[in-house]
Amino acid sequence: MALIVQKYGGSSLESAERIKAVAQRIVDTRRAGNDVVVVCSAMGDTTDELLDLAAEVNPTPPAREMDMLLTAGERISNSLVAMAVHALGEKVQSFTGSQAGVITTERHGNARILEVTPGRVQEAVDEGKIAIVAGFQGVNRETKDVTTLGRGGSDTTAVALAAAMGADECEIYSDVDGVYTADPRIVPDARKLDNLCFEEMLELAASGSKILVLRSVEYARAFNVPMRVRSSYSTDTGTLVAGALEDIPMEEAVLSGVATDDSEAKITILGIKDEVGEAAKVFRELADGEVNIDMVIQNISNSHDNKTDITFTLPKADGARTMEKLRVLQAAEGWEDLSYDDQIGKVSLVGAGMKSHPGVTADFCDALRDAGINIEMITTSEIRITAVVRQADVAEAARAIHTKFDLGGDELAVVYAGTGR
Amino acid sequence: MALIVQKYGGSSLESAERIKAVAQRIVDTRRAGNDVVVVCSAMGDTTDELLDLAAEVNPTPPAREMDMLLTAGERISNSLVAMAVHALGEKVQSFTGSQAGVITTERHGNARILEVTPGRVQEAVDEGKIAIVAGFQGVNRETKDVTTLGRGGSDTTAVALAAAMGADECEIYSDVDGVYTADPRIVPDARKLDNLCFEEMLELAASGSKILVLRSVEYARAFNVPMRVRSSYSTDTGTLVAGALEDIPMEEAVLSGVATDDSEAKITILGIKDEVGEAAKVFRELADGEVNIDMVIQNISNSHDNKTDITFTLPKADGARTMEKLRVLQAAEGWEDLSYDDQIGKVSLVGAGMKSHPGVTADFCDALRDAGINIEMITTSEIRITAVVRQADVAEAARAIHTKFDLGGDELAVVYAGTGR
């Protein structure tokens, strides 16, 4: 008998009707001979509605109270799913994050899971019950306060629970039936992938693919929990994310897909002294402000004046405050110029096959050149190439690369609406 | 410095605007030099909406899951009130029933408070914080499962917390500004009472007054917690419920008010054997079915055939299943007839003054006779007279008694809409 952990996102639970459909799927999984543990996000728009209410009573609500408020959302969906499963005749019990033993750091709004002690959940499973666990939430061990895990928290709850319980597979249900070679809304002939290794999924998630949250994939990789991306609207087996890069035989390694990201901006510092420690000052300043910088390029020094240029990308959301900090530094350090550009986009190609296929970078650049798209920055990792281009060119760039590497399928991809938390 | 516990009902918290008004009142109480602990019900229609959702996914949901679902309502209102208080610049912390130490029996949906251990709440108060506690909910000590306290549960939470913390007063806020001599919707010149003793309030609550739930008054009386009924829409000081009947000087004892109740039905058994143990069989059967019978009358035996008649009232909600049980018993015992009448109503007069004023019962009967209303049953206690009349006559009976005993004021009463949980 296998132990399957299933996670259902908000769009899969947006109405009583959808909840009943999910309950049927849970019960089917159980009756196919599996133990089943289910993790639920909040129903459809619940979280947004609660956020709106909070904004009305306090524009800067305390984080602890915000967590208390938002966790009501999963409590509601969770107990309703339990009721719906019960209506189908299976034994069932719901658990809050705290009851399921999800112990976190005390950072409200963005806590990290420290440990999962699923004793009560395991007991319920041993008694033949289906266990329904509220996602996105945990409890801080010291103060016993309720915490939330931040964006994608329910995925992380599911993976952490699967790891702690030694589950055979962690199924992540949403309105998309798997991981595609590209976003089907941009690349119509995008093809669903049957499987990926953890590193490939990590690179895709880090490059802008929204299908799985980076943190949950990191967790799954660390604890070697196979994840399966599936749609709650179809019976498709979805995409299996499992295994390590080094375990893929070279002859089977392929290119997995193209990811795009238009959430970043670019900052360029011109005429910074080309001396030891000068760039470090910049990045120390950004790290202290908890700004996640992504691509960094330092140009070759202009030998005649001993000065250089630095360019890096960062989330647009951090743009304004980062520029404020850097303007202060510019005055102190005497940089020649400082510029901010939020009209950029990133396009990335990911795949284990890159290791064994020389010339991929050259083909990548050719594809963009042939499409008349200028590359502003480019970086590579072992299994990823990323280019920064004009934001207006991102979709065309993705299509050009997708075609160049023959990633498409014979049929047009099916696209469902919405995304889950 | 006094410690005030305030309880706000659902209609006082039905919107962000109302929540902000409640927060202002809480902060005003704090700034007047009091320690403040607040108990909140769920916002306006939240509970009904959650009940509707539950009914859609499962017509007979498990009680444990129902409690998990419904307690989300108080979690939402509670954290929003905390945010609104925070926005006004006071230190504040919210608590679930479990965090506030509300320990209950394990009977889901209708648990009873066993004990309140408000260590964390007291700590917050000692740190100068306003504590906001979710009403209606507790935790079962054995299984650590969330429980709910049934109808009026938030009032009970407030009184129990006030008792455990040695509060100086427990204020119950709703949309009514006090206890009236009668329901102002029935008796337009009903007068607000300034104070009542616990026994009078208990008799009024037991006789159909909806202003306070019987259970919370019983709790307040047992632990001698002064309760004050107030409106969250006005600054009126409301009605103080405090003190024991025996402490009221005879010359100050007055008649408090008239209560009406049309939620009961009447069952009559004709021709039951007038022997020891025959009536006991009937009442044992009802007790086993957890039917709360109220008024009971056994008529004088018809001496020629050694048979008698028994009439009693019970909640209409229990009528159908009780009649089913009794029909079985009728067949076994050979009663002559068994009848059910749900077109009755009760009208009661309550007041400590009854003890010291002989002739109240006679005046009560005169008032109904003069209004042309027939009395079907009548019972009395030390400080209460209750008559069963036709349901269509209840309002007229209340007005006649109210006038006869000169309970009215000079002005018409103010009536607000809705009632809280």
Side-chain angles (χ1 to χ4, degrees):
Chain A
M1 181 176 268
L3 171 61
I4 307 289
V5 173
Q6 300 185 327
K7 178 261 170 179
Y8 293 93
S11 63
S12 301
L13 303 168
E14 67 188 1
S15 65
E17 195 188 343
R18 289 294 308 146
I19 285 174
K20 287 198 273 189
V22 161
Q24 187 62 58
R25 184 178 289 268
I26 293 167
V27 168
D28 289 347
T29 308
R30 168 76 187 152
R31 290 180 183 164
N34 302 292
D35 283 334
V36 186
V37 173
V38 176
V39 173
C40 295
S41 297
M43 289 174 72
D45 300 328
T46 306
T47 303
D48 289 339
E49 287 165 15
L50 293 176
L51 287 171
D52 287 348
L53 272 173
E56 279 188 77
V57 300
N58 188 335
T60 55
R64 179 187 181 280
E65 301 302 335
M66 193 56 121
D67 279 358
M68 190 72 98
L69 177 70
L70 293 182
T71 49
E74 278 78 17
R75 179 175 282 233
I76 291 169
S77 59
N78 214 45
S79 49
L80 288 171
V81 169
M83 290 176 192
V85 167
H86 176 266
L88 296 173
E90 288 293 329
K91 289 193 287 182
V92 62
Q93 186 170 340
S94 75
F95 297 87
T96 63
S98 166
Q99 290 174 342
V102 180
I103 314 292
T104 73
T105 59
E106 63 184 329
R107 179 155 175 196
H108 288 290
N110 198 20
R112 303 218 151 230
I113 294 177
L114 290 172
E115 182 188 6
V116 180
T117 53
R120 291 188 63 185
V121 177
Q122 187 63 57
E123 205 175 293
V125 168
D126 292 345
E127 290 167 4
K129 290 178 184 164
I130 294 169
I132 316 283
V133 176
F136 181 64
Q137 58 182 253
V139 65
N140 163 14
R141 196 191 329 242
E142 277 69 42
T143 65
K144 306 275 185 226
D145 278 327
V146 174
T147 52
T148 65
L149 305 177
R151 210 178 77 77
S154 292
D155 286 14
T156 311
T157 302
V159 173
L161 203 53
M165 298 183 74
D168 296 274
E169 206 166 278
C170 180
E171 299 181 339
I172 307 289
Y173 284 89
S174 70
D175 44 13
V176 183
D177 64 0
V179 181
Y180 277 74
T181 53
D183 182 340
R185 286 166 296 194
I186 295 177
V187 182
D189 71 337
R191 189 171 46 81
K192 186 173 71 66
L193 297 162
D194 290 331
N195 52 272
L196 282 166
C197 70
F198 286 122
E199 285 81 354
E200 290 172 306
M201 192 66 237
L202 280 175
E203 291 284 10
L204 283 173
S207 303
S209 162
K210 304 249 179 331
I211 189 106
L212 286 176
V213 176
L214 189 59
R215 211 158 130 191
S216 68
V217 185
E218 285 170 345
Y219 210 107
R221 181 194 186 195
F223 291 91
N224 198 24
V225 177
M227 295 176 85
R228 189 178 288 278
V229 179
R230 301 186 67 176
S231 164
S232 62
Y233 293 82
S234 82
T235 55
D236 192 289
T237 54
T239 302
L240 180 67
V241 181
L245 182 60
E246 60 267 27
D247 296 337
I248 302 177
M250 192 175 283
E251 61 275 18
E252 289 178 17
V254 295
L255 294 174
S256 310
V258 177
T260 57
D261 184 0
D262 54 10
S263 69
E264 299 215 326
K266 180 175 85 167
I267 289 178
T268 303
I269 301 169
L270 292 178
I272 181 171
K273 270 180 274 179
D274 191 12
E275 287 171 8
V276 174
E278 287 302 305
K281 278 184 198 165
V282 174
F283 297 119
R284 167 57 49 208
E285 185 77 14
L286 299 178
D288 289 349
E290 297 202 5
V291 175
N292 284 314
I293 61 167
D294 181 18
M295 298 170 72
V296 181
I297 288 179
Q298 181 167 345
N299 292 358
I300 296 158
S301 172
N302 299 324
S303 57
H304 67 281
D305 61 357
N306 196 32
K307 288 193 171 176
T308 187
D309 307 332
I310 294 176
T311 302
F312 59 89
T313 64
L314 77 173
K316 278 180 190 162
D318 294 328
R321 65 187 181 94
T322 302
M323 282 299 282
E324 265 179 49
K325 280 171 176 285
L326 291 180
R327 282 201 193 93
V328 175
L329 214 55
Q330 178 184 18
E333 302 289 327
W335 303 334
E336 286 166 16
D337 200 6
L338 178 65
S339 71
Y340 181 72
D341 178 356
D342 62 2
Q343 294 301 307
I344 63 158
K346 294 195 310 186
V347 58
S348 304
L349 175 65
V350 171
M354 217 169 278
K355 287 203 301 180
S356 49
H357 292 76
V360 170
T361 305
D363 287 348
F364 182 95
C365 294
D366 283 354
L368 295 185
R369 184 201 59 208
D370 293 346
I373 294 166
N374 184 45
I375 297 176
E376 304 186 11
M377 301 170 73
I378 188 161
T379 61
T380 63
S381 80
E382 192 181 20
I383 60 168
R384 176 182 51 79
I385 307 172
T386 299
V388 168
V389 299
R390 286 292 90 197
Q391 195 168 307
D393 291 335
V394 164
E396 185 54 38
R399 284 188 288 266
I401 294 163
H402 199 263
T403 301
K404 181 77 174 182
F405 291 96
D406 201 18
L407 298 174
D410 298 331
E411 297 167 26
L412 292 188
V414 180
V415 182
Y416 305 94
T419 54
R421 175 156 93 191
Chain B
M1 183 177 268
L3 172 60
I4 308 290
V5 173
Q6 300 186 325
K7 178 261 169 178
Y8 293 94
S11 63
S12 301
L13 302 168
E14 67 187 1
S15 65
E17 196 188 343
R18 290 294 308 147
I19 285 174
K20 287 198 270 188
V22 161
Q24 187 62 57
R25 184 179 289 268
I26 293 167
V27 168
D28 288 347
T29 308
R30 169 75 187 153
R31 290 181 182 163
N34 302 293
D35 282 335
V36 186
V37 173
V38 176
V39 173
C40 295
S41 297
M43 289 174 73
D45 299 327
T46 305
T47 304
D48 289 340
E49 287 165 16
L50 293 175
L51 287 170
D52 287 349
L53 272 173
E56 278 187 77
V57 300
N58 189 337
T60 56
R64 180 188 180 280
E65 300 303 334
M66 194 56 122
D67 279 357
M68 190 73 97
L69 178 69
L70 293 182
T71 49
E74 279 76 20
R75 178 175 282 233
I76 291 170
S77 59
N78 215 44
S79 49
L80 288 172
V81 169
M83 289 176 193
V85 167
H86 176 266
L88 295 172
E90 290 292 329
K91 289 193 287 183
V92 63
Q93 186 170 341
S94 75
F95 298 87
T96 63
S98 167
Q99 290 174 340
V102 180
I103 314 292
T104 74
T105 58
E106 63 183 330
R107 180 156 174 196
H108 288 290
N110 198 21
R112 303 216 152 232
I113 294 177
L114 290 172
E115 182 189 6
V116 180
T117 52
R120 291 187 63 184
V121 178
Q122 187 64 57
E123 205 175 292
V125 168
D126 292 345
E127 290 167 4
K129 290 177 184 162
I130 294 168
I132 316 284
V133 177
F136 182 64
Q137 58 182 252
V139 65
N140 163 13
R141 196 189 329 243
E142 278 70 42
T143 65
K144 306 278 185 220
D145 278 328
V146 175
T147 53
T148 64
L149 304 177
R151 212 179 75 76
S154 291
D155 286 15
T156 311
T157 303
V159 172
L161 203 53
M165 298 183 73
D168 295 276
E169 207 167 277
C170 180
E171 300 182 338
I172 307 290
Y173 284 89
S174 71
D175 45 12
V176 183
D177 64 0
V179 181
Y180 277 75
T181 53
D183 183 339
R185 286 166 296 194
I186 295 178
V187 182
D189 70 337
R191 188 171 47 81
K192 185 173 72 67
L193 297 162
D194 290 330
N195 52 274
L196 283 165
C197 70
F198 287 121
E199 284 82 353
E200 290 172 307
M201 192 66 238
L202 280 175
E203 291 283 10
L204 283 173
S207 302
S209 163
K210 304 249 180 329
I211 189 105
L212 286 177
V213 176
L214 190 58
R215 212 160 131 189
S216 68
V217 184
E218 285 170 346
Y219 209 108
R221 182 194 185 195
F223 291 91
N224 199 26
V225 176
M227 295 176 85
R228 189 178 287 278
V229 179
R230 300 185 69 176
S231 164
S232 63
Y233 293 83
S234 81
T235 55
D236 193 289
T237 54
T239 301
L240 179 67
V241 180
L245 181 61
E246 59 267 27
D247 296 335
I248 302 177
M250 190 176 281
E251 61 276 17
E252 290 177 19
V254 296
L255 294 174
S256 311
V258 177
T260 58
D261 184 358
D262 55 10
S263 70
E264 299 215 325
K266 181 174 85 168
I267 289 179
T268 301
I269 302 169
L270 292 177
I272 181 171
K273 271 182 273 180
D274 191 11
E275 286 171 7
V276 174
E278 288 302 306
K281 277 186 199 164
V282 174
F283 296 119
R284 168 57 48 208
E285 185 77 14
L286 299 180
D288 288 349
E290 297 203 7
V291 176
N292 283 314
I293 60 167
D294 180 20
M295 298 169 71
V296 181
I297 288 179
Q298 179 166 346
N299 294 357
I300 296 158
S301 172
N302 299 324
S303 55
H304 67 280
D305 62 357
N306 195 30
K307 289 196 170 174
T308 187
D309 306 333
I310 294 176
T311 301
F312 59 89
T313 64
L314 77 172
K316 278 179 190 163
D318 294 329
R321 66 188 180 95
T322 302
M323 282 300 282
E324 265 179 50
K325 281 172 176 282
L326 291 179
R327 281 200 193 94
V328 176
L329 214 55
Q330 178 185 20
E333 301 289 325
W335 304 334
E336 286 168 14
D337 201 7
L338 177 64
S339 71
Y340 180 73
D341 178 356
D342 63 4
Q343 293 302 306
I344 63 158
K346 293 196 311 184
V347 58
S348 303
L349 175 65
V350 172
M354 215 171 280
K355 287 203 302 182
S356 49
H357 292 75
V360 170
T361 305
D363 287 349
F364 181 95
C365 294
D366 283 353
L368 295 184
R369 183 202 59 207
D370 293 347
I373 294 164
N374 185 44
I375 297 175
E376 304 186 12
M377 298 169 77
I378 188 163
T379 60
T380 63
S381 80
E382 193 182 19
I383 59 168
R384 176 182 51 80
I385 306 172
T386 299
V388 168
V389 300
R390 285 293 90 198
Q391 194 167 307
D393 292 335
V394 164
E396 185 54 38
R399 284 189 287 267
I401 294 162
H402 198 263
T403 301
K404 181 77 174 184
F405 291 96
D406 201 18
L407 297 175
D410 298 331
E411 296 167 27
L412 293 190
V414 181
V415 182
Y416 304 93
T419 55
R421 173 155 96 190

